[in-house]
Amino acid sequence: MNFDNNYQKCLDKLIWAIHQLDVKVAQSQLANLAKIIVQTMMGPWRYFHSIEHILEVGGSTDAIEVLAALFHDIIYVQVDGSIPFNLTPYLAPFIEEERGKLFVRTDNPGERDAIFELIATLFKVAPGEELFPFTGQNEFLSAIVAAKLLEPLLTPALIVQVVACIEATIPFRTQSDFGLSPSEELYQSLKSINQRFHFNLTSAELLETVKRSVRLANRDVGGFAHPSSAVFLSNTWKLLPETNHTLKKSESYTIRDYRVAIQKMAVFLKFLNAELIFRRFRGEPDDRIYIHYVEQARRNLEVARLYLDSKLVANAILEALSLRLGSDVPLTIMMGDFGDEPSSMGSLGDYFPTLINPHRPKTLLEREVCQLLAGGRAQSISFDFKTSPLTSFVVQYIGFEGIFQMWQRTQEFFQGKITSEEFLARCDADLVNIIIDGVAKLLEKRKVALCRLYKPLSMNGVRQLQHEH
């Protein structure tokens, strides 16, 4: 989608939200906000955290939720690689960088800026404190940008409600030391801020603010509970290039680059607790919906873990073989070109034999993973195959029991505890030979294409070239 379409969608959301709040704002001011949001959200690494994402997260029924969603990912340091230049004026008075790390300034800016003070209070951030990526850094910075951009348009009482919703999108948090859920903690903080800053919000308004934040936060991670594991994996794959910038269509990333990206995702999903993904607060959402979210997320995580583990084992064989050619062999050299259209060179999967007696899945989970490997994720993406022909063949050849048996030595290879040749020597020899044969045929096809119309130089021609040089 191009800039103009994204800009218009964002502007329409802003106009609608401001109208719902019954606030008089010049359209030129909203147009400037839309431009800032869209320019940031269309950054080169924004595959998942995009315009489409923030429009979906905001919903369509509540103005505060819509505004919070538009800003909740506007700062994402790990994705963009830095703070976007156009947003630095809003952060520089309060945040400083030292040796690549971000800190809250120590000259007490909150004493001069009430908006920043209430944000720092809500996020429990103190002067001089270092901001860490996985404990709310991006949400805190996004909240500051949102508040400073909205400050000329909205009252502080409205801004604090927007900021509270952004705070709720800090994901995967456990209960506090006092046994409070993140949403209960947010409610207590809002009560304190309401009294301290004299916002005069009623108890009902404070409760509704937290319920809004729960709805927003749950939509933000809603993909975990998608009824289709193929869609869940598609969303997972969109996350890969955001923090693994070598995975880009215009770059020939290596087999190791690819493995490291999916390995990091596998480690993250392995330790993610389904109960920590979704929020609830005093009946929002009701128990039936919440339990459904958790159960579906748990199922998607199980599928993703087996899917990723299988891909890592299969790709370990390919990575070990690639090291015979060099340390920087692009994945496409040994797998074939990406894209929805069949390549004239074909792909590695084209050269695998049909197995007479392949291993069959033994459980519903294994069956689902086999279908995903062979049939593909729900959507194509520019940097990878939608299907997994290599992994699908390896699973058919050795079964998931073989995947589990290979797992430990795969990790030893990745960690450098055994060499690539030691790893290959401990793999099924026939399987390795089939993969070698497939890669060789793929490379031979490239050789044929390269040598088209080629005529070997005669000895006289070689002597002539030597004479000329």
Side-chain angles (χ1 to χ4, degrees), residues 106-319:
T106 56
D107 49 0
N108 293 320
E111 293 182 0
R112 305 188 305 275
D113 192 296
I115 291 294
F116 175 78
E117 186 179 0
L118 73 86
I119 296 171
T121 302
L122 192 66
F123 280 79
K124 299 181 175 62
V125 174
E129 184 172 330
E130 182 180 351
L131 304 177
F132 295 99
F134 302 110
T135 55
Q137 168 191 273
N138 296 308
E139 293 81 3
F140 176 58
L141 298 177
S142 294
I144 297 173
V145 171
K148 301 314 290 183
L149 285 170
L150 293 172
E151 191 173 14
L153 314 181
L154 304 180
T155 64
L158 286 174
I159 289 174
V160 75
Q161 295 175 66
V162 172
V163 169
C165 287
I166 295 175
E167 191 275 346
T169 63
I170 302 174
F172 316 133
R173 286 181 281 177
T174 59
Q175 289 187 342
S176 71
D177 294 338
F178 301 100
L180 297 179
S181 70
S183 295
E184 286 288 354
E185 278 201 287
L186 179 61
Y187 177 59
Q188 298 301 325
S189 295
L190 281 172
K191 288 201 300 183
S192 175
I193 289 171
N194 185 47
Q195 183 177 15
R196 177 178 172 185
F197 290 90
H198 308 291
F199 289 147
N200 297 320
L201 294 169
T202 66
S203 295
E205 288 173 322
L206 293 175
L207 288 168
E208 182 56 32
T209 296
V210 180
K211 290 183 178 182
R212 282 193 190 103
S213 78
V214 168
R215 292 193 292 267
L216 181 81
N218 286 346
R219 284 195 297 269
D220 192 27
V221 294
F224 280 95
H226 198 282
S228 167
S229 57
V231 173
F232 172 67
L233 283 173
S234 285
N235 290 332
T236 301
W237 244 245
K238 290 179 183 178
L239 292 169
L240 295 181
E242 290 197 333
T243 52
N244 300 275
H245 290 176
T246 55
L247 303 186
K248 192 175 180 183
K249 188 175 182 179
S250 62
E251 298 177 7
S252 296
Y253 61 86
T254 67
I255 297 172
R256 183 183 183 278
D257 291 332
Y258 180 72
R259 182 261 296 175
V260 168
I262 61 176
Q263 188 177 20
K264 289 192 291 187
M265 181 58 70
V267 170
F268 167 67
L269 294 181
K270 180 179 180 180
F271 295 102
L272 181 58
N273 186 340
E275 281 75 14
L276 298 182
I277 297 174
F278 294 99
R279 306 279 290 269
R280 59 177 168 176
F281 176 77
R282 304 192 184 186
E284 179 63 53
D286 65 42
D287 289 345
R288 180 183 61 83
I289 293 175
Y290 177 78
I291 291 171
H292 169 74
Y293 285 164
V294 173
E295 289 179 346
Q296 187 61 53
R298 187 180 293 114
R299 177 65 180 179
N300 283 334
L301 288 173
E302 289 175 350
V303 170
R305 287 163 183 158
L306 183 55
Y307 179 90
L308 290 167
D309 284 352
S310 301
K311 285 184 73 71
L312 284 170
V313 169
N315 280 271
I317 300 174
L318 198 68
E319 181 177 344

Side-chain angles (χ1 to χ4, degrees), residues 117 253 289 305 314 402 420 427 431 438 444 451 457:
E117 186 179 0
Y253 61 86
I289 293 175
R305 287 163 183 158
S420 58
C427 296
L431 173 62
E444 180 64 27
C451 295
L457 286 172

Side-chain angles (χ1 to χ4, degrees), residues 364-384:
L364 291 176
L365 173 61
E366 290 183 357
R367 183 182 304 169
E368 187 168 355
V369 171
C370 284
Q371 291 171 347
L372 288 165
L373 292 171
R377 300 177 297 275
Q379 296 177 328
S380 298
I381 196 164
S382 62
F383 68 88
D384 195 12

Side-chain angles (χ1 to χ4, degrees), residues 15-27:
I15 292 172
W16 178 86
I18 293 299
H19 177 73
Q20 292 294 309
L21 294 174
D22 197 24
V23 178
K24 303 299 180 184
V25 178
Q27 186 158 327

